Amino acid sequence: MHEMSIAQSVLDIILQESRNHKVTRVLSVALKVGELSAVETESLRFCFELLTKGTPAEGAQLDIERVQVTCRCQDCGSNFAVHELIFSCPSCQGVRVEMLSGRELSVESFEAE
Ligand SMILES: [Zn+2]
């Protein structure tokens, strides 16, 4: 499952950081997930819960921020949000667009004690 491997890599990052900072318990984790990364929020939570059992991250709250897909038009320079995966410029109908956000999948921060 896609979400399982993501949850695993999120956990790896947290545990690594926890060791570096001598953390005993992770309270919450903030994630940024781009709309294009095709992650199911609920199933990511479920996998994360499963994987954290018995680790310092057990019971940690997962804060997931969805990041909208945004592009910049290379013809007229305007920035726009992409809806329903239509990648053309709403101002000039140009299709030479550069993606600015939407693919990210990162651990922004986490709280621990
Ligand atoms: Zn344009």
Side-chain angles (χ1 to χ4, degrees):
M1 200 199 299
H2 183 53
E3 281 79 10
M4 191 56 98
S5 58
I6 292 167
Q8 183 64 59
S9 42
V10 168
L11 182 60
D12 287 345
I13 293 169
I14 296 166
L15 293 182
Q16 179 67 49
E17 286 293 313
S18 298
R19 274 192 292 272
N20 293 346
H21 296 97
K22 309 221 183 313
V23 158
T24 52
R25 207 162 77 88
V26 178
L27 304 175
S28 69
V29 181
L31 292 182
K32 265 195 176 167
V33 176
E35 293 290 357
L36 273 189
S37 59
V39 171
E40 280 285 342
T41 307
E42 284 317 305
S43 98
L44 182 58
R45 280 186 204 284
F46 176 76
C47 295
F48 186 77
E49 241 170 69
L50 276 183
L51 291 173
T52 51
K53 288 225 164 71
T55 74
E58 181 169 359
Q61 192 191 325
L62 210 51
D63 295 320
I64 300 174
E65 187 192 337
R66 311 285 311 197
V67 181
Q68 216 180 22
V69 182
T70 55
C71 289
R72 182 195 323 243
C73 174
Q74 297 190 331
D75 290 328
C76 73
S78 60
N79 291 356
F80 58 95
V82 173
H83 302 287
E84 289 158 14
L85 301 182
I86 301 167
F87 290 91
S88 64
C89 174
S91 309
C92 72
Q93 321 309 320
V95 290
R96 297 199 312 138
V97 297
E98 172 196 358
M99 196 176 303
L100 300 176
S101 69
R103 284 191 205 275
E104 45 277 274
L105 197 121
S106 57
V107 178
E108 284 298 294
S109 62
F110 69 94
E111 260 186 278
E113 56 180 25

